[in-house]
């Protein structure tokens, strides 16, 4: 978002989008080069589908703890919302806070659905050791955060630790409800501890 967090704004998807294998830069980022660009607005997919995109670690952020990988990277406001979105055939790779919909979340994700996708979270360094990966959200932060009525189907999640089918690592007080996964396999990879790698909705519950 290049410095625009879209505070108080609502962005609506008005058609299906096939990105045809293009490399996608996560919307909303922080740290790394010192430019904070958290997404803090509302994104309403209106039931449409974004398909066929690839996310890889960016050279500016990708080797450090502050890079969050996903369609949305770093979403950080109590009233931020991502809702009513479908994603199909995404390939997402990161080192920390990695998922198809959102890497790092403070806010709400509701009625989002991921199919035929893969998430891989691998070791870069001690701060980004391939941790916190899921199909919908890598890491949920703060008790105001909510993940509800989301699904994942036909996919894989591979990580060094803290990985689940829907949420990789869920902070205390965060509500995850009405979510389900079908044929989503979660497995360990890389040099991290291998702890909390679970074929469950949540990998690690803080």
């Amino acid at each position: 978002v290049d410095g625009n967090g879209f505070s108080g704004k609502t962005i609506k998807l008005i058609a299906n989008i096939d990105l045809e294998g293009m490399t996608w830069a996560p919307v909303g980022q922080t740290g790394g080069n010192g430019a904070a660009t958290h997404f803090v607005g509302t994104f309403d997919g209106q039931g449409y589908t974004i398909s066929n995109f690839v996310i890889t670690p960016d050279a500016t952020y990708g080797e450090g703890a502050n890079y969050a990988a996903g369609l949305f990277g770093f979403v950080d406001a109590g009233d931020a919302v991502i809702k009513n979105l479908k994603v199909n055939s995404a390939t997402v790779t990161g080192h920390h806070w990695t998922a198809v919909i959102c890497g790092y979340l403070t806010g709400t994700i509701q009625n989002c659905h991921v199919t035929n996708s893969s998430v891989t979270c691998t070791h870069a360094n001690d701060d980004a050791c391939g941790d916190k990966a899921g199909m919908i959200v890598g890491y949920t932060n703060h008790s105001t955060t909510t993940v509800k009525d989301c699904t994942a189907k036909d996919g894989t999640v591979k990580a060094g630790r803290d990985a689940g089918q829907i949420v990789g690592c869920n902070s205390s007080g965060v509500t995850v409800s009405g979510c389900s996964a079908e044929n989503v396999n979660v497995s360990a990879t890389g040099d991290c501890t291998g702890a909390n790698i679970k074929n469950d909705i949540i990998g690690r519950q803080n």
Side-chain angles (χ1 to χ4, degrees):
V1 291
D2 295 330
N4 186 348
F6 293 92
S7 178
K9 306 292 184 181
T10 297
I11 302 165
K12 293 183 178 181
L13 192 62
I14 60 172
N16 295 326
I17 298 176
D18 186 346
L19 294 174
E20 299 181 340
M22 74 171 286
T23 299
W24 178 264
V27 176
Q29 208 45 261
T30 190
N33 63 3
T37 60
H38 309 167
F39 182 80
V40 297
T42 295
F43 182 87
D44 186 351
Q46 299 197 115
Y48 291 108
T49 302
I50 299 175
S51 59
N52 297 312
F53 61 87
V54 175
I55 296 172
T56 58
D58 181 86
T60 305
Y61 299 101
E63 299 304 316
N66 292 310
Y67 187 80
L71 185 67
F72 290 81
F74 207 102
V75 175
D76 194 20
D79 58 353
V81 178
I82 303 168
K83 62 182 180 180
N84 306 327
L85 176 64
K86 298 176 183 178
V87 172
N88 182 59
S89 296
T91 302
V92 182
T93 303
H95 300 309
H96 184 53
W97 301 334
T98 303
V100 174
I101 302 294
C102 180
Y104 180 108
L105 175 68
T106 302
T108 296
I109 291 182
Q110 181 178 1
N111 192 33
C112 290
H113 309 282
V114 175
T115 53
N116 303 310
S117 297
S118 66
V119 173
T120 304
C121 194
T122 60
H123 185 277
N125 54 45
D126 289 343
D127 292 323
C129 68
D131 60 309
K132 301 175 178 62
M135 276 289 174
I136 303 295
V137 185
Y139 176 70
T140 62
N141 178 56
H142 203 273
S143 60
T144 59
T145 296
T146 300
V147 180
K148 58 184 176 181
D149 304 329
C150 295
T151 65
K153 183 179 179 180
D154 298 333
T156 58
V157 179
K158 297 178 182 179
R161 64 178 170 89
D162 302 346
Q165 295 168 318
I166 298 293
V167 177
C169 182
N170 194 52
S171 292
S172 177
V174 172
T175 300
V176 177
S177 63
C179 296
S180 63
E182 180 182 348
N183 192 33
V184 175
N185 184 61
V186 183
S187 61
T189 187
D191 300 326
C192 206
T193 64
N196 302 305
I197 303 290
K198 298 179 181 177
N199 279 300
D200 291 323
I201 299 300
I202 297 170
R204 175 184 174 186
Q205 178 64 58
N206 274 348

